[in-house]
Amino acid sequence: MKTLIKNIKQLLQVERTPRSRVCGADMARMDSISDAYLIVEDDRIADFGRMTELKEQSFDKEIDAHGRMVLPAFCDSHTHLVYAGSREIEYIDKIRGLSYEEIAKRGGGILNSAKRVQEADEAQLYDEAMERLHTMATYGTGAVEIKSGYGMTTEAELKMLRVIRRIKETSPLTVKATLLGAHGIPMEYRGRQEAFVDLVVDEMIPRAADEGLADFVDVFCDAGFFTVEDTERILEAGAKRGLRGKIHANEMACSGGIQVAVKHNALSCDHLEYTGEAEIECLKGSETMPTVLPGAAFFLNMRYAPVRQMIEAGLPVAMASDYNPGSSPSGNMQLVLSFACVNYRMLPEEAINATTLNTAYAMGLSDTLGSIAVGKRANFVITKPIPTYEYLPYAYGENKVEQTFLNGKAL
Ligand code: NIG
Ligand code: FE
């Protein structure tokens, strides 16, 4: 099957020499081609260029993208989209003045979702997650990382991972699975947290690895949650089983999470609201992708990660949705673009790099996703007619995507 998308107003994020990630000043650059074509063969990008250079050939299908932009589908490298029900009542508690930590201490927050996930069966979790995933795809997302973490017991964590495996097998989106055994401390382990970390290290990680259910391992390394020592034990246990780290760090405090992520060569460290000079220095030269979650910072009304300083220091920055029922009940990556520009003072080019190529890197997928490059998977979107690509973050809240293509096929 050979498809031509022709008369594209602007083809964005094109790469002749594919890179694994974009760092520092390069983030403000995004190559594009005006009045362009894109050729898709089966599930791959076969060719692209200027309309004036399109060679005579036959196609099975032609799509006229006049007035429209084409860009790679977003990669969302941090989500918790398998969960049961919603938590809008806690949202009201927050409006009334309770903090995220206070809600968590009272058994709300992560433990509230854990109770519901423990009670739900796999079919219910799968159906709810697939509906969320479909909405995300209509907003232009083509790849997601999904975490467990609302299980709290080995059985419930494995149940979540099996749901993610079924999503992987049946959804057109590209999916990566992360075991987040250490997300919260169950009530019965309060005061003996090491025993819960033992459970993660001795039972959850080996079983998830043996059953081939996880690609990565995660820990919520932060004040009031898991310590640097807990995190080291979990990252070491994961590494022994071939699971690289992608950790939650520095959302509540300068927790040492960034340093421990870099020390253990984690693929990413995520949140980063509390990032100072020492943390930026530590990330320099590392292979760990600093990942910011603008939806969570917005929704919890938190301080914003110092993205400008990070970019000025030459670091790459990725941005993901953190889709979850507590701190970010949205998987809309177009909104992430707008937050990036308004709240972090990123340029649209930087925001697009942060949500495509750099998030692909943070999922270990930048060789196949995250840009328009020959041989990459044909995951891309055609926008509605829009005046410029800057309009994408500017016109916040409306869906600018007309059609999402995954593996070469229209959704
Ligand atoms: O990434 N920070 C930790 N975990 C999630 C929130 C999970 C929840 O509140 O249910 C996050 O924001
Ligand atoms: Fe998260």
Side-chain angles (χ1 to χ4, degrees):
M1 176 82 178
K2 198 167 161 191
T3 306
L4 169 70
I5 295 118
K6 63 183 180 186
N7 300 326
I8 302 167
K9 183 169 180 171
Q10 215 170 357
L11 180 62
L12 308 176
Q13 185 69 318
V14 296
E15 287 192 303
R16 292 288 176 195
T17 313
R19 301 155 295 172
S20 64
R21 59 182 184 170
V22 198
C23 304
D26 288 344
M27 286 194 65
R29 239 193 75 193
M30 175 188 59
D31 288 344
S32 66
I33 302 173
S34 296
D35 194 22
Y37 70 85
L38 175 69
I39 298 175
V40 173
E41 258 185 77
D42 302 322
D43 61 351
R44 301 282 144 179
I45 294 170
D47 191 14
F48 60 86
R50 283 184 202 291
M51 278 306 285
T52 49
E53 289 157 8
L54 177 60
K55 295 196 183 73
E56 197 55 46
Q57 58 196 294
S58 60
F59 296 100
D60 301 301
K61 194 175 170 193
E62 291 192 16
I63 298 168
D64 194 333
H66 178 80
R68 292 152 171 85
M69 308 282 167
V70 170
L71 66 148
F74 297 114
C75 296
D76 192 346
S77 60
H78 182 138
T79 83
H80 309 248
L81 68 85
V82 171
Y83 58 86
S86 51
R87 302 214 314 254
E88 63 278 16
I89 302 308
E90 290 175 8
Y91 168 66
I92 306 305
D93 289 340
K94 257 175 251 145
I95 293 170
R96 292 192 198 278
L98 280 189
S99 72
Y100 185 78
E101 288 107 316
E102 283 164 340
I103 292 171
K105 276 208 188 97
R106 300 196 324 184
I110 295 166
L111 294 185
N112 179 356
S113 286
K115 189 166 175 289
R116 297 183 197 213
V117 163
Q118 285 162 4
E119 285 161 4
D121 63 20
E122 287 185 28
Q124 178 197 338
L125 292 172
Y126 173 82
D127 290 345
E128 279 194 38
M130 285 297 276
E131 205 172 309
R132 292 179 194 121
L133 212 49
H134 179 75
T135 305
M136 291 168 82
T138 62
Y139 279 87
T141 296
V144 284
E145 179 257 18
I146 312 175
K147 299 174 193 297
S148 64
Y150 293 125
M152 302 278 156
T153 65
T154 305
E155 281 320 314
E157 281 292 288
L158 294 174
K159 173 170 77 176
M160 288 191 76
L161 289 172
R162 280 194 293 270
V163 170
I164 300 169
R165 177 172 63 192
R166 189 170 158 213
I167 295 170
K168 229 186 224 190
E169 289 166 355
T170 55
S171 159
L173 282 89
T174 307
V175 176
K176 288 281 185 184
T178 299
L179 169 66
L180 173 52
H183 193 196
I185 299 132
M187 284 296 185
E188 59 275 26
Y189 283 93
R190 293 274 157 103
R192 46 188 203 100
Q193 188 164 325
E194 304 78 54
F196 184 65
V197 177
D198 289 343
L199 182 77
V200 174
V201 165
D202 298 334
E203 226 180 85
M204 292 187 193
I205 292 176
R207 286 196 55 192
D210 287 349
E211 291 185 39
L213 287 170
D215 301 299
F216 304 110
V217 67
D218 194 347
V219 188
F220 189 4
C221 178
D222 226 320
F225 290 84
F226 293 89
T227 64
V228 167
E229 292 70 33
D230 298 335
T231 305
E232 291 217 274
R233 287 185 60 201
I234 291 168
L235 290 180
E236 278 165 12
K240 270 198 205 126
R241 301 280 180 158
L243 305 179
R244 203 166 164 194
K246 270 178 71 63
I247 76 166
H248 284 73
N250 296 41
E251 177 185 2
M252 309 294 170
C254 273
S255 61
I258 294 176
Q259 285 83 348
V260 73
V262 170
K263 180 174 169 199
H264 290 272
N265 196 29
L267 183 56
S268 73
C269 55
D270 305 22
H271 273 293
L272 316 185
E273 280 76 12
Y274 289 82
T275 300
E277 275 172 31
E279 283 76 16
I280 291 180
E281 210 44 49
C282 168
L283 281 160
K284 278 191 196 166
S286 82
E287 288 176 11
T288 303
M289 176 61 73
T291 302
V292 174
L293 309 170
F298 162 76
F299 194 76
L300 298 181
N301 209 2
M302 284 189 292
R303 57 149 82 192
Y304 292 116
V307 165
R308 283 259 59 95
Q309 282 100 301
M310 289 156 74
I311 293 176
E312 270 150 35
L315 296 180
V317 173
M319 285 193 160
S321 76
D322 196 19
Y323 196 175
N324 77 77
S327 65
S328 186
S330 166
N332 180 345
M333 289 293 277
Q334 294 178 51
L335 215 43
V336 170
L337 286 184
S338 302
F339 290 150
C341 295
V342 174
N343 295 332
Y344 300 82
R345 292 181 39 242
M346 289 173 90
L347 297 166
E349 297 82 354
E350 291 174 325
I352 292 172
N353 275 313
T355 51
T356 56
L357 197 52
N358 282 355
T359 36
Y361 176 95
M363 300 171 74
L365 289 171
S366 54
D367 53 342
T368 51
L369 292 173
S371 66
I372 302 292
V374 171
K376 279 199 176 183
R377 191 182 293 269
N379 278 15
F380 61 92
V381 302
I382 303 181
T383 68
K384 293 173 182 167
I386 56 174
T388 59
Y389 67 76
E390 287 88 347
Y391 187 88
L392 289 168
Y394 160 82
Y396 79 97
E398 71 179 74
N399 190 1
K400 280 83 60 181
V401 168
E402 190 165 83
Q403 220 172 7
T404 303
F405 287 76
L406 299 179
N407 314 306
K409 289 199 194 84
L411 198 66

